[in-house]
Each structure stands twice: as structure tokens, then as C-alpha cells.
Amino acid sequence: MVIKKRHWALPTATLVLLLPATGCLGASDAPGPSAEPTVTPTTSVARVCATPAPGPAQAPAGAVTVDPSVVGDLAAKTRSSPPKTTFWLLPGTHTLEADRYAQVLPKEGNSYVGAPGAVLDGRKTNQYAFGGPAGNVTIRRLTVQGFVAPQNEGVVNHDSADGWVIEHATIQNNSGAGLMAGARQRIRGNCLRGNGQYGVNAYKSGGPLGDLVVEGNEIVGNNVDGWERRQPGCGCTGGIKFWAVNGADVRGNWVHDNRGPGMWADTNNNDFRIEDNVVEANDGAALIYETSYNAVIRKNTIRRNNWVDGRKKADDGDTFPFATVYLSESGGEPRVPARTDKIEILDNVLENNWSGITLWENADRFCNSPANTSSGDCTLLVKDTERCVQPAIATAPLYSDCRWKTRRVDIHDNRFVLDTSVVGCTVKCGRMAVLANYGTYPDWSPYKGEPVAEAITHEQENRWHDNVYVGPWSFVAHDPSRELDFGQWQGAPYRQDARSTFRPQAGG
């Protein structure tokens, strides 16, 4: 499987026990900043890893029992059993044959259930735990660890088969992604911890990936292999990554202490609901929504994110407003069917992150441009990418449709809190922004100069309103050089944050 590399476009059943969010990071192997929150969070924490729910102590009716003392017993009994068989893994450590490609290849409708203490261990030898094309497979109450999937590949559901259900499992300490996703997949109540690249990689090669539910999981400490440092600009790190997913509900998760972004939707995703999550103490942004469409982001508690990556950029002298919620060439598009026709960010609490929300467009990034880091992809409005060339691209409708746009973004009824003594910063850490770069590239680009900056700032229905700001926030509009105070931000020509309140000295 090959995944195209992308990066920030710059000049880039019963669910888990829900407990009150306290900021305690005891469930993480890699502790982050220790500052406690000073506002009441909007949601609760899926504290799965500290208290995993045990599996059944007795075999389910009709189940095939799998013996951990027999090497490869799980794979062998899967091969010899018919579809729709349930397998019950006895307590203990189960292993596969000592071949890197040895794995379990489920049949249609199979179920795998772990007894208390059942572990499937790849012993740093096997690349994949569960793979193959069979659909509607269920994995419950099982720990899967020690597998060594290559970069951009995954351990569970390696081939992104459809209709899988993964519930109350612990998928930890693997290389690559702990879990891949197919269409109609349900990922509920799992501990996805300490994997080398991603906790979840929602990517399906050559086929549609939609109707995805990610609910009540703890996604913590992933990207331990530091892929962004090993391959700068790869855009291949974080807690969970979505690629071209059409329809996803991401709710009630605790996404924390990942070495990179918490959640990242990259390239032609559409129709997302991101609700009631706690996203905290990730090295990078809490959420990146890039070259994608139509989403509702609401009732999330987002705190202490981007302290590592944002601070590093500032220390390096980069003036770009690196944000904790970053929308890059993403917006509402009524022509792309979804449950909404805009991106709405509402009723969230953002506290003591490195900056707030940035709406960005790269004027040089469009279909067929060498600056398009989405490796040959085009917008969902143009099916034939070859049409986006001169002279046609300079005229309607391609002038508009060949470029991903940050448009129809509605940011309202959020609470933004910044205490610089908690974040440990004095400048560049409390900014909201809507901006673009000056178009320069390639030579045949019809977007040279300032038209993209003018459009994102004044013409594309991007609006902040009815928000609460606490702390020393500033605002950037049009381009990185235009930093504004709250009065300038509210005044002409920007007219942002109508009916919002601003308390600059209140701290936390």
C-alpha cells in the first residue's frame, strides 16, 4: 500500500466509562504539560487505557477456543473454520508463525473475542495482525501489540476491508498505524496507544471510505517513531489521520499526548461531525482540516495543544500564525453533498493552546500546480484534473473550481482562554487568523498576486462572531504582516467577531 505524502501547505454494546475531565495524564506513557485547566470543560474523558474492560471469562456459545500455547493457533483455526465463526482467545499471550507476513486472514463475518488477559503479540517479528479483504469482521476485548507494520501501513484491518467493528480493544506499541479503516467501520471504546506512526490511519486505496464512526476511544502517545523528524514535511504523523473519507462521526474521544497533531483530515474529506471530544497536550495542532469540505466541529474541549510545534516555529523566527485548529484550503461547499454545506465551529472551549484558529489558503496550491502537496489530487468539483491548465483555468468555472477554498467557515459561541504564564510564552502564541500568501508560482498560475488573500479575507463568507476571548489575543488578516488588535479586527474592513467579548488582561 502506498499513501501519498502531504504536509501543511505553507510558504500545509456499551461504551467506555466516562469520567470528568481533570487534566490528569496518568493513562499516558508520555506525560505532557502538567498545568490544570481553569475553565469547566464541555465534555468528559474516555479514560479507556487505565481501566480496560475485560472480556468474557467463558467462551461464547458456539465459539472456537484458541490456545495461546500453540504457536499460530489463531491463524490456523481461522483457515479451517467457516465464515461467521466466533473465536474466543484464552488468557495468555498468543503468537503467530515466525514469518513477517504471517497474519490472521478472517473470513466474512468472523468475530474475535479475547478472554481476560488475552494478548496477540507480534514479537517485533510479524508485520500485521489481521488483514485481508473479508468484510464485517468484529474484534473485541483483545490486546494487540508488538507488530512492525511499515510506514503508512497498519496492524489491524491492514487492507482496509469494509464493515469491521473494533470495540474495547487495546492496540498498542506497534510500528506503523495501530488500526486501518474501511467503509462502514465502527471504532468504539478502544485504547490506541504508543503506536509508531498513527493510532488510526483511515485510508482505503482505490475505493470509497465512508460512514466511519470513531467513538469513545483513548488515542494517546502515538508517533513514537517521530516520522516528521525522520522525514520532514511528510505530513504523516499524529493520533488519527483521515484521507478522502466521505462521512465520519468522531465523538467522545480523548485524544492526548500524541507526538504530532491530535486529529488530521487531509485531502478531499467531506461531511465530518467532530463533537464532544477532549483533545489535549498534543505536540502539534489539536485538529487540522486540510483541502477538505463540510464539517461541524462542536462541543469539544481543546487545551494545551501545539506547545512543542508552535514554540519551535516561533523560536525559529517563523511569523506564520500556527494554530491549534488549522483549516487549510477547506470550507463549506453546497455542491458536495453532506449534512451541512459549511464548516461550523461552535460551542468549543479552547484553553491555553499555542494560538487559536487559523483559516489559510496557499495561493500556489491548486490542481496541477507543482506546489500542490496532495500529490496529483484535484478538488471534488473537477473530475478531470487535466482540465485545470491554461488557458481554461483562467476562466470560469475552472478558475474557481480548480482551487480548494477556505470559505463558508462560521466560528461562533466558542470560549478562547489564554494565560501566557501557563503556556510559557510572551509573543506569537495567542493569535486568530484568516490569511493567504502572495501568489507567485508556477509561471502559468492565474492566482498570482493578492486575489486569493483578498478572497479568503473579504469574499468567502468566513466569519467569527459571538465568541468570548480571555487573555491577550491578537488577530491576523489578509497576510502574515497584518496583525490587528481586537478593535481593528472588529472594525472596517474586516468586521469580524460581532457581539463577541474581549478581556485582554484576565489571563486564565
Side-chain angles (χ1 to χ4, degrees), residues 470-489:
V470 180
W473 291 91
S474 61
F475 305 86
V476 179
H478 190 274
D479 61 74
S481 69
R482 298 190 190 182
E483 188 153 334
L484 314 171
D485 62 28
F486 190 60
Q488 293 169 320
W489 176 247

Side-chain angles (χ1 to χ4, degrees), residues 172 254 337 367 377:
Q172 64 182 7
W254 187 19
C367 303
D377 286 296

Side-chain angles (χ1 to χ4, degrees), residues 48-82:
V48 181
C49 296
T51 55
Q58 302 293 326
V64 173
T65 298
V66 182
D67 187 349
S69 68
V70 179
V71 173
D73 195 41
L74 179 60
K77 287 179 174 173
T78 296
R79 288 192 297 270
S80 63
S81 300

